[in-house]
Amino acid sequence: MRILLVDDHPITRTALAALLAQHDFTVVGEASDGEEAVELARRLGPQLVLLDLSMPGLGGLEALPRIRDAAPACEVVVLTASGSDDDLLAAIRGGAAGYLLKSEPPDRIVGFLRGVAQGEAALSGAVARRLLESVREGGHREAAVPDAIAAALSARELEVLLLLDQHLGTDEIAKRLFISEHTVRSHVKALLAKLGVSSRRDALEKLNAARR
């Protein structure tokens, strides 16, 4: 997997690059702020961006949707010291495929990133799962995502599924998530395959059946 590292601390980037190289990841670039990250994402086309939140200038949360627009095929995983529920919620809504705390052991970070490569969500702690399940509707039971479905989809795919559950069309979802309609269709195709269904209607039926 081709990875772009974004962190304003050179020592952190060096340590992460060394860790990832030991586990057969390829670091294609490093950025120290959000603006540089957007430019490198556009130019290098990484498969994954490992993004810190706290940076001078354009911060991680502001940069996240711009990175995804610059490299629509990439996944973005936040790696941060912030365990704030607000930051987590904002990152997931911004399109992050994961939210990891820097306190995670190195081997667990590597494991999470390998999971992202297979389409899984990468989330530190039980609180992250609870927030992910309720990200769209504040945790109401009718909007929750059962564990079996949450574990199968990326954070972005979950968002698309929940917006489909709100009866939004492709164009409306694209506007809500600040992505292209083509990207929405790609996410729908991926989530249908992961859920083992052939249509949006079947996906929603499976979601509602799992909730009961």
Side-chain angles (χ1 to χ4, degrees), residues 29-44:
E30 299 181 16
S32 59
D33 59 52
E35 292 284 359
E36 186 180 12
V38 173
E39 176 57 32
L40 288 179
R42 180 180 295 109
R43 180 156 53 87
L44 300 175

Side-chain angles (χ1 to χ4, degrees), residues 45 57 60 62 71 80 118 122 131-132 139 175 181 191-192 201 209 211:
E62 294 80 10
T80 180
Q118 298 172 4
L131 283 175
L132 180 59
K175 292 176 182 176
E181 292 184 28
L191 72 86
L192 293 181
R201 181 175 180 177
R211 285 170 172 164

Side-chain angles (χ1 to χ4, degrees), residues 105-205:
D107 287 348
R108 280 182 58 82
I109 291 176
V110 169
F112 277 127
L113 297 184
R114 284 180 172 157
V116 170
Q118 298 172 4
E120 300 171 3
L123 299 163
S124 288
V127 66
R129 171 55 59 83
R130 290 198 301 272
L131 283 175
L132 180 59
E133 291 173 354
S134 61
V135 65
R136 295 308 306 179
E137 298 291 341
H140 298 305
R141 180 176 176 80
E142 62 270 19
V145 178
D147 283 349
I149 290 179
L153 305 181
S154 71
R156 180 60 102 185
E157 290 160 359
L158 278 173
E159 281 206 299
V160 171
L161 178 62
L162 290 171
L163 290 172
L164 290 173
D165 194 35
Q166 295 178 30
H167 308 292
L168 298 186
T170 298
D171 58 336
E172 296 171 301
I173 294 173
K175 292 176 182 176
R176 181 76 65 88
L177 299 180
F178 303 101
I179 57 179
S180 70
E181 292 184 28
H182 173 75
T183 301
V184 173
R185 294 188 189 96
S186 295
H187 287 312
V188 170
K189 182 178 179 180
L191 72 86
L192 293 181
K194 291 178 183 179
L195 295 180
V197 296
S198 58
S199 71
R200 300 182 182 200
R201 181 175 180 177
D202 290 343
L204 295 178
E205 289 179 353

Side-chain angles (χ1 to χ4, degrees), residues 1 4 6 22 24 35 83 109 111 138 150 164 191 202 207 212:
M1 176 171 273
L4 171 64
V6 186
Q22 291 172 8
D24 300 323
E35 292 284 359
I109 291 176
L164 290 173
L191 72 86
D202 290 343
L207 171 63
R212 292 194 285 268

